[in-house]
């Protein structure tokens, strides 16, 4: 029994460490946002979803039996995602601020508020733990299904440019740790979603091995395609939020070059006209 609990603690601790590192993954993105003083090209949805997930698991862990390790990692995730959203909101355009406000109100205020009221006033004791556990598990399963979009994109484009191996590896490792933690603690609400997370993680790594050396040059994705990857990757884990850098294609630069060429031609034409006038005189 003591060994059983010790192993559960060990897997939970490892899960905390790995999830802690993955949760820090968006920091380079926000460094760029602060440096450029704009959040253009990025979306707030992944961080809102990650914050909502952390809130759900924290709420569940408070009432669950001996769930200290769930409380620690989700508390850290809660504060990190709050900071990410605050930075994003500060540098976002007016349109993005309105959208972010709607998302936060929808998920983190009204959505969580309804769950809170139902759990606190319509359930009691063990029943409350089960209701919260089912809510967390269903939401986590929905989150883990999101990589299907990325897998389809990789197979279609035969490119893994927007599916980094390191991210897939650590997410898979995290899923393994949390599965064994839940299994040894006999907490199926934690164990079951991570089975799906492990399967999708293995599939992503297999696809990376198959398509890591593309045979042909691929077109650079547009902003909308890049944004799709941002959302999908960010939904890979219940307590994880990671975002890929998006690149804006260069139609504006093309437009600028056209204007400059036109300006140069007009100048040359004017010079020729002046020269003709001078020769006439």
């Amino acid at each position: 029994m003591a060994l059983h609990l010790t192993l559960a603690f060990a897997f939970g601790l490892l899960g905390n460490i790995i999830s802690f590192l993955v949760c820090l993954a968006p920091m380079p993105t926000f460094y760029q946002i602060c440096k450029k003083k704009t959040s253009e090209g990025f979306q707030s949805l992944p961080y809102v979803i990650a914050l909502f997930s952390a809130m759900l698991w924290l709420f569940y862990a408070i009432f669950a039996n001996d769930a200290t390790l769930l409380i620690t990692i989700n508390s850290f995730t809660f504060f990190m995602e709050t900071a990410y959203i605050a930075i994003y909101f500060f540098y976002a355009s007016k349109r993005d601020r309105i959208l972010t406000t709607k998302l936060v109100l929808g998920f983190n205020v009204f959505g969580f508020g309804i769950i809170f009221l139902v759990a606190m006033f319509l359930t009691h004791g063990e029943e409350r733990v089960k209701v919260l556990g089912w809510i967390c598990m269903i939401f986590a399963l929905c989150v883990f299904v999101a990589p299907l979009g990325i897998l389809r994109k990789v197979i279609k484009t035969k490119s893994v440019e927007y599916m980094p191996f390191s991210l897939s590896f650590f997410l898979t490792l995290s899923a393994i740790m949390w599965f064994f933690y839940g299994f040894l603690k006999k907490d199926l609400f934690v164990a079951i979603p991570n089975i799906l997370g492990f399967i999708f993680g293995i599939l992503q790594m297999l696809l990376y091995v198959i398509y890591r050396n593309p045979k042909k040059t691929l077109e650079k994705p547009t902003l909308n395609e890049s944004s799709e990857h941002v959302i999908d990757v960010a939904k890979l884990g219940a307590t994880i939020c990671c975002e890929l850098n998006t690149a804006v294609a260069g139609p504006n630069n093309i437009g600028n070059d056209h204007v400059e060429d036109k300006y140069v031609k007009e100048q040359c034409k004017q010079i020729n006209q002046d020269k003709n006038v001078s020769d006439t005189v």
Side-chain angles (χ1 to χ4, degrees), residues 25-45:
M27 291 191 72
T29 294
F30 281 90
Y31 173 76
Q32 291 298 322
I33 289 177
C34 293
K35 185 177 181 180
K36 296 179 180 179
K37 300 185 185 306
T38 177
S39 61
E40 183 179 358
F42 301 98
Q43 296 187 12
S44 60
L45 180 60

Side-chain angles (χ1 to χ4, degrees), residues 37-198:
K37 300 185 185 306
T38 177
S39 61
E40 183 179 358
F42 301 98
Q43 296 187 12
S44 60
L45 180 60
Y47 310 105
V48 174
I49 294 294
L51 178 61
F52 181 60
S53 177
M55 293 169 68
L56 287 179
W57 283 108
L58 263 177
F59 196 32
Y60 166 76
I62 290 173
F63 296 101
N65 184 31
D66 190 22
T68 304
L69 293 175
L70 285 177
I71 293 176
T72 54
I73 184 58
N74 285 288
S75 296
F76 175 76
T77 304
F78 175 85
F79 287 111
M80 288 301 298
E81 301 308 327
T82 301
Y84 290 151
I85 293 172
I87 295 173
Y88 180 92
F89 192 85
F90 183 78
Y91 290 108
S93 62
K94 182 178 180 180
R95 179 183 177 184
D96 289 335
R97 287 181 181 179
I98 294 174
L99 177 60
T100 301
T101 302
K102 291 180 179 179
L103 290 173
V104 171
L105 290 175
F107 282 99
N108 307 110
V109 178
F110 296 115
F112 182 79
I114 292 173
I115 295 173
F116 177 85
L117 293 174
V118 170
M120 295 303 295
F121 296 103
L122 299 182
T123 61
H124 303 279
E126 190 65 25
E127 182 186 6
R128 177 183 295 161
V129 176
K130 289 182 179 180
V131 169
L132 291 174
W134 275 103
I135 293 173
C136 290
M137 185 176 70
I138 293 172
F139 182 76
L141 288 172
C142 293
V143 166
F144 276 122
V145 169
L148 285 174
I150 294 180
L151 299 181
R152 179 180 59 83
K153 185 75 70 174
V154 170
I155 295 172
K156 182 179 179 180
T157 62
K158 293 180 171 49
S159 172
V160 294
E161 182 180 2
Y162 292 91
M163 189 183 71
F165 180 83
S166 58
L167 177 63
S168 300
F169 174 76
F170 281 108
L171 289 173
T172 304
L173 199 59
S174 176
I176 293 173
M177 298 305 163
W178 286 114
F179 165 75
F180 280 108
Y181 170 82
F183 177 77
L184 293 172
K185 295 274 295 182
K186 297 181 179 180
D187 190 339
L188 298 180
F189 300 122
V190 175
I192 291 177
N194 285 287
I195 296 175
L196 196 61
F198 170 76

Side-chain angles (χ1 to χ4, degrees), residues 191-217:
I192 291 177
N194 285 287
I195 296 175
L196 196 61
F198 170 76
I199 293 173
F200 283 127
I202 293 296
L203 285 176
Q204 287 183 71
M205 289 191 288
L206 286 175
L207 287 177
Y208 185 91
V209 172
I210 295 172
Y211 296 115
R212 71 182 186 277
N213 295 319
K215 295 181 180 179
K216 61 181 180 178
T217 303

